[in-house]
Amino acid sequence: MAHTETHAGISAPRPNSVAIIVAALRKWQRSVARRKALADLTPDQLRDIGHPRGDIGHPQVNRPVLEIKAGLMTKLMSMR
């Protein structure tokens, strides 16, 4: 009677696939670092580099903008 062994089809990853995984990981790390750096910039700095505010890597939420004039606090205090 013949004796045969069956092995599970698990094998070590090939070197090419490891290189692909490492390259993908590095690309992801660079994109995360780029998004963090852009998030720290002011709108003026973003305009200087020609980067619109909404393209930072996540959709920009439309929020109301409150513009305050320089003498507003003085006027409010005088109305008191």
Side-chain angles (χ1 to χ4, degrees), residues 14-31:
R14 297 185 308 222
N16 191 24
S17 63
V18 172
I20 292 171
I21 292 170
V22 169
L25 178 63
R26 287 184 180 161
K27 182 179 177 182
W28 174 77
Q29 287 174 330
R30 282 191 305 269
S31 68

Side-chain angles (χ1 to χ4, degrees), residues 19-55:
I20 292 171
I21 292 170
V22 169
L25 178 63
R26 287 184 180 161
K27 182 179 177 182
W28 174 77
Q29 287 174 330
R30 282 191 305 269
S31 68
V32 168
R34 188 178 305 118
R35 281 193 301 256
K36 285 182 181 180
L38 286 174
D40 290 339
L41 295 177
T42 65
D44 291 332
Q45 291 170 328
L46 288 171
R47 270 194 304 271
D48 287 345
I49 63 171
H51 201 284
R53 181 74 181 147
D55 291 343

